[in-house]
Amino acid sequence: MGTLSPIVQRYDIILIQEIRDKSGKTPEKLLKAINTNGYSYSMKLSDRLGRTYSKENYAFYYRNDTGITIVDSFHYDDGSEEKGVDTFEREPFVVKFSIPSLSVREIGIIGLHVDPDTVVRELTALADVFKAVENKFKIDTVIAMGDFNAGCRYLSEKQEKSLSLKSDKYFWPIEYGTDTTLAATDCSYDRFIIGGAKLIELAKSGDSSVFKFDSEYELTKEKSMSVSDHYPIELFLPTKTVVPLSTTATITTESSGINPVNYKLSYSILYGAVLFIILLKMLN
């Protein structure tokens, strides 16, 4: 928990996947743990999802003290599991956020953990999820995020390029071959897919990266793997205004007779990555 809390507190909105605690206590314990040191988070938890006995939750944590609110949410209906006509191993969980500090005020976020055995099938069907979100929420500013298993032996670069979501209508900030795991291989399993011209423009004016927490916190391999075997991926979206803070780079304005002022360009940070249940069990 000592490592998990500061990781979560880096972000305004964070998606955590593979929560397998049947009791539902673990997500609540994490919420309590991160609501410290002046932070105030709320949580939106999905139903338990999956075809097999081993079901999972998605959980969105978001900073309510920055004005972020949830407008709506739904589980994508991909057909009947009982009749064997469903598409996704775990149905996408979709949340519509209102983020007042962004020029794109409302964003729909699709959380999805793709089955490694059906990556092409699920990522192909994800295009229909984008359309469903646009129709239901009446917006085209949509981000899909999560562990898509989109790399190495599960998805070749050629297969990725053939996906309909690789058209010019969408932007993938994390490129193929980017290392998003602690494994020895460089596999780009975790991704963002961004739709909507205004949101794409905003994302391109910001930044994206992989947060290698093992290096940041100088953790041993064993300790790092007890946190997660995936790194968080980060998306930085510039806000509409420059917010005065006291601990950032100084802009000196001596020539105008005004005292020096400290400013920081504030960002809303969206995170789509996998922090496995082995990490969350540390809170039990």
Side-chain angles (χ1 to χ4, degrees):
M1 188 172 65
T3 303
L4 175 57
S5 291
I7 291 176
V8 174
Q9 289 169 340
R10 287 171 55 87
Y11 308 106
D12 292 313
I13 301 175
I14 178 170
L15 168 64
I16 294 181
Q17 300 182 327
E18 292 205 38
I19 302 172
R20 297 175 183 160
D21 178 8
K22 295 180 182 179
S23 71
K25 293 180 180 179
T26 297
E28 293 290 345
K29 288 181 179 179
L30 177 57
L31 181 62
K32 183 177 180 180
I34 61 178
N35 277 328
T36 56
N37 301 322
Y39 292 94
S40 182
Y41 283 87
S42 297
M43 176 184 69
K44 185 67 175 179
L45 189 68
S46 75
D47 295 343
R48 298 188 70 238
L49 303 168
R51 299 190 189 105
T52 66
Y53 175 78
S54 179
K55 298 185 184 299
E56 303 173 5
N57 295 97
Y58 301 109
F60 284 98
Y61 295 86
Y62 61 97
R63 285 190 60 181
N64 54 54
D65 56 347
T66 63
I68 298 173
T69 58
I70 288 179
V71 179
D72 200 355
S73 66
F74 71 97
H75 297 80
Y76 179 74
D77 183 2
D78 65 340
S80 171
E81 289 185 10
E82 290 75 14
K83 295 180 180 179
V85 294
D86 61 323
T87 304
F88 297 95
E89 169 65 27
R90 290 160 288 268
E91 295 88 339
F93 181 50
V94 188
V95 178
K96 182 181 182 181
F97 286 96
S98 172
I99 309 174
S101 60
L102 294 182
S103 57
V104 179
R105 186 183 178 94
E106 293 187 334
I107 298 176
I109 302 182
I110 304 167
L112 175 63
H113 178 202
V114 172
D115 186 334
D117 295 328
T118 56
V119 172
V120 173
R121 177 186 176 187
E122 292 196 22
L123 291 183
T124 299
L126 185 56
D128 293 329
V129 183
F130 269 86
K131 293 176 184 176
V133 175
E134 292 169 5
N135 291 334
K136 182 175 178 62
F137 290 162
K138 308 303 180 186
I139 57 173
D140 66 352
T141 48
V142 181
I143 303 175
M145 58 172 66
D147 177 6
F148 297 162
N149 282 297
C152 292
R153 64 192 178 97
Y154 301 125
L155 184 75
S156 69
E157 190 169 9
K158 181 178 180 180
Q159 288 174 314
E160 179 180 295
K161 289 179 178 178
S162 70
L163 295 171
S164 61
L165 289 174
K166 288 295 289 186
S167 73
D168 293 339
K169 290 179 59 179
Y170 301 96
F171 174 48
W172 297 50
I174 305 295
E175 296 182 353
Y176 191 93
T178 301
D179 184 15
T180 69
T181 76
L182 279 74
T185 54
D186 292 341
C187 298
S188 48
Y189 290 151
D190 307 284
R191 303 293 195 94
F192 299 108
I193 304 175
I194 302 173
K198 291 183 179 179
L199 185 55
I200 289 173
E201 181 181 1
L202 187 66
K204 287 183 176 180
S205 68
D207 196 10
S208 61
S209 63
V210 178
F211 179 54
K212 297 191 174 182
F213 60 85
D214 52 348
S215 299
E216 177 72 17
Y217 300 129
E218 299 181 343
L219 304 178
T220 64
K221 184 71 171 181
E222 182 180 4
K223 176 64 175 177
S224 300
M225 293 295 287
S226 74
V227 175
S228 174
D229 62 353
H230 284 233
Y231 291 120
I233 58 171
E234 306 174 321
L235 178 63
F236 299 83
L237 300 177
T239 59
K240 293 184 292 187
T241 58
V242 175
V243 181
L245 293 176
S246 60
T247 59
T248 57
T250 299
I251 302 174
T252 303
T253 55
E254 293 176 350
S255 60
S256 64
I258 303 173
N259 292 329
V261 180
N262 295 328
Y263 284 101
K264 179 182 178 182
L265 181 62
S266 179
Y267 290 91
S268 284
I269 305 171
L270 304 179
Y271 162 102
V274 178
L275 299 179
F276 284 127
I277 190 62
I278 189 171
L279 172 151
L280 296 176
K281 284 181 178 176
M282 295 168 61
L283 303 177
N284 289 339

